[in-house]
Amino acid sequence: MSAAQCFSGDPVAAINAATNDPGLFHFKELLDLPEVQELGAVNPALRTLEIFCFKTIHDYTAAGLPALNATQTEKLRLLTFVSLCGQGKVVSYDSITEETGVGNVRELEDLVIATLDLGLVEGKLFHEEKEFHVKTTVGRDVHPSEYQGLLDKLVAWQAHSHGVVASMDEHVQSGIKRHQDKKAAEAEREAELAKLKTEVIEDMKNQKDKGSMQFIRSRQRGRQGHFRR
């Protein structure tokens, strides 16, 4: 379900519905609706939606906006933890506590487990080290100010990918050439061995023929001597 589907004519009601929906964690489509934007930059509902899109629970507290209900608070804590996981592969308990505002380790681990169950992050808790090791995390909504940076990263990734593909192709071609050279060398050795074998057989045949001729001549000389006597 898209957050924009929460809109049925009343933008404030749509924002309230989206931020309370337990299955919604991306809100940019709702934020971009003209009816929502018409609320104006200082409207509390619009400011709330912007924080749910791009920011953290600390930002909400600092903004002096009306208190969130329990569902909204939990959701914004989840989103804050997702943002932390997007900043590094290892997240300490201290940073989770500071950024999300949880009261104790039990609440912290419950928050992390809830995030894992929802599929927002993948990783593992290390209780003794008091760390969460991140494997993967979903992305939050992207603020327009981040578009260029994201584009630069994509361009750099594309260039790197092309370089990797070119390097792989070079290795493949080099491997093919080595294989072809090896096959050619083997064929050349086989040809040399075949030639040598033919020469040896021919030489043996010549030696045999030569020996036979010598034997015949010897017999002939022996007979001639016998006749003379």
Side-chain angles (χ1 to χ4, degrees):
M1 176 179 175
S2 164
Q5 292 177 285
C6 294
F7 181 75
S8 59
D10 184 343
V12 174
I15 292 170
N16 188 57
T19 55
N20 277 282
D21 190 306
L24 285 178
F25 294 94
H26 294 89
F27 310 93
K28 188 68 165 55
E29 291 183 5
L30 177 60
L31 180 65
D32 288 340
L33 291 179
E35 295 86 350
V36 173
Q37 288 297 313
E38 287 173 3
L39 289 172
V42 298
N43 182 277
L46 181 60
R47 293 174 67 194
T48 296
L49 184 60
E50 288 176 336
I51 290 173
F52 270 78
C53 278
F54 312 119
K55 299 183 180 181
T56 68
I57 196 163
H58 265 326
D59 296 311
Y60 192 90
T61 303
L65 293 165
L68 298 171
N69 63 35
T71 300
Q72 291 171 319
T73 299
E74 178 71 6
K75 177 179 281 193
L76 194 50
R77 279 178 172 166
L78 293 170
L79 291 168
T80 299
F81 179 60
V82 169
S83 292
L84 279 174
C85 291
Q87 296 170 9
K89 289 296 184 182
V90 178
V91 184
S92 69
Y93 276 28
D94 287 343
S95 63
I96 297 172
T97 300
E98 181 180 353
E99 294 299 323
T100 64
V102 293
N104 53 56
V105 173
R106 175 62 182 274
E107 289 183 8
L108 181 152
E109 293 184 346
D110 285 347
L111 177 72
V112 173
I113 291 169
T115 315
L116 291 167
D117 289 343
L118 288 164
L120 299 174
V121 299
E122 290 183 21
K124 185 176 180 180
L125 277 169
F126 288 83
H127 304 279
E128 293 185 5
E129 294 84 353
K130 296 188 180 304
E131 292 175 344
F132 178 75
H133 290 202
V134 183
K135 183 179 179 182
T136 60
T137 179
V138 299
R140 299 264 322 256
D141 289 308
V142 181
H143 193 276
S145 65
E146 300 174 320
Y147 288 168
Q148 187 58 51
L150 183 60
L151 179 61
D152 291 342
K153 288 180 181 179
L154 289 172
V155 170
W157 175 83
Q158 183 184 47
H160 175 71
S161 298
H162 287 168
V164 170
V165 171
S167 177
M168 291 175 62
D169 186 60
E170 182 179 341
H171 283 299
V172 169
Q173 294 303 321
S174 177
I176 292 173
K177 186 176 185 305
R178 286 196 301 271
H179 177 71
Q180 291 174 338
D181 290 346
K182 181 180 178 182
K183 294 292 289 184
E186 289 175 352
E188 185 177 349
R189 284 195 298 271
E190 289 177 1
E192 290 176 353
L193 286 172
K195 180 181 178 182
L196 181 61
K197 181 179 178 181
T198 300
E199 290 175 350
V200 169
I201 292 173
E202 187 67 27
D203 186 62
M204 290 176 64
K205 181 180 178 181
N206 291 338
Q207 290 294 331
K208 182 179 179 181
D209 291 343
K210 183 177 179 181
S212 297
M213 290 298 298
Q214 289 176 343
F215 176 76
I216 293 171
R217 288 172 182 168
S218 176
R219 291 290 301 273
Q220 288 176 342
R221 283 197 296 270
R223 289 175 180 175
Q224 288 173 357
H226 175 73
F227 290 144
R228 287 193 186 108
R229 286 196 300 267

